[in-house]
Amino acid sequence: MKTGFVAFHYPDAAHREEFVARVQRVAEVFRQTPGCLAADCWLTDDAVVSTVQWDSPEAQEAALATVMTAAADDIVYDDRETRPREIIRLVAA
């Protein structure tokens, strides 16, 4: 069963490009994990949106553990963001 998530990040305008680079680095780590089908970075007027899709819940769990180790500095919430992130977990229908 495929799983995924969509995460909305709200960086301060002064840090938007830096934040895009952070999300892109994390997406690259996700792409290298077994079972990752896609990892992308999208933009809206006020958000940087990350999307990731896996072929199984087990692959998702393993990938999240890998990212927590390999890209921990890029995933930490900090004062460069204007409001909390919104993370929506997905399961294929």
Side-chain angles (χ1 to χ4, degrees):
M1 164 182 31
K2 290 195 302 186
T3 63
F5 72 71
V6 178
F8 294 83
H9 311 270
Y10 301 96
D12 180 88
H15 299 284
R16 185 175 170 96
E17 291 305 314
E18 173 189 3
F19 203 87
V20 167
R22 289 172 65 186
V23 169
Q24 289 173 334
R25 285 191 298 270
V26 171
E28 183 57 34
V29 173
F30 275 132
R31 283 187 210 105
Q32 295 175 19
T33 61
C36 181
L37 302 173
D40 294 298
C41 178
W42 301 83
L43 301 174
T44 69
D45 289 341
D46 65 342
V48 177
V49 181
S50 53
T51 62
V52 187
Q53 185 181 119
W54 294 273
D55 64 7
S56 70
E58 296 79 18
Q60 180 179 12
E61 283 185 40
L64 291 171
T66 297
V67 165
M68 294 299 289
T69 302
D73 290 341
D74 287 325
I75 61 172
V76 175
Y77 179 84
D78 60 35
D79 62 0
R80 293 175 285 189
E81 296 178 68
T82 62
R83 68 186 205 213
R85 298 170 182 175
E86 297 173 47
I87 301 174
I88 302 164
R89 293 187 178 265
L90 307 168
V91 176

